[in-house]
Amino acid sequence: MTGGAAGVLRQRAWAVAERLAQATGQEAKVAEIADGYRISVHLYGDGGDHREVLAALAMGDRYGHRGSHRPQHDERDRGTVWCEVHLDPPPRPGAPR
């Protein structure tokens, strides 16, 4: 990714990462993907401020959760939330084309 749009996209990704880190109290990871960035945070305990986590995720183009509420190795393990930001975002389900 190059140019001004790429810089804006990178800033947007880091803004999401900072907000997720604040909401969860965990380190957010940012990874470059084919057409943007993927931000993820592993959740422990209560998962942080749920409203703030959702607000941070909503800043992205796609988002979701991996894991379950059933503990596997650590009873505090709650899974991972992730969010993607894209240069050319995919259409949201149900959005007019």
Side-chain angles (χ1 to χ4, degrees):
M1 285 182 276
T2 60
V8 170
L9 185 64
R10 187 175 29 260
Q11 289 176 344
R12 187 172 159 218
W14 282 105
V16 172
E18 288 177 19
R19 191 158 179 188
L20 273 175
Q22 288 177 338
T24 63
Q26 303 296 324
E27 179 183 356
K29 296 179 181 173
V30 178
E32 192 168 343
I33 57 176
D35 60 343
Y37 293 91
R38 183 177 186 107
I39 304 98
S40 61
V41 176
H42 198 84
L43 303 175
Y44 293 97
D46 67 3
D49 183 336
H50 295 219
R51 287 183 185 190
E52 280 299 310
V53 170
L54 291 173
L57 294 174
M59 293 169 65
D61 302 313
R62 293 183 61 223
Y63 52 88
H65 177 264
R66 287 189 313 260
S68 71
H69 293 283
R70 287 187 19 217
Q72 295 179 13
H73 302 291
D74 179 349
E75 65 185 37
R76 295 174 35 88
D77 186 344
R78 298 290 182 230
T80 301
V81 292
W82 58 270
C83 175
E84 293 178 357
V85 294
H86 300 269
L87 280 174
D88 187 19
R92 294 191 185 255
R97 296 178 186 231

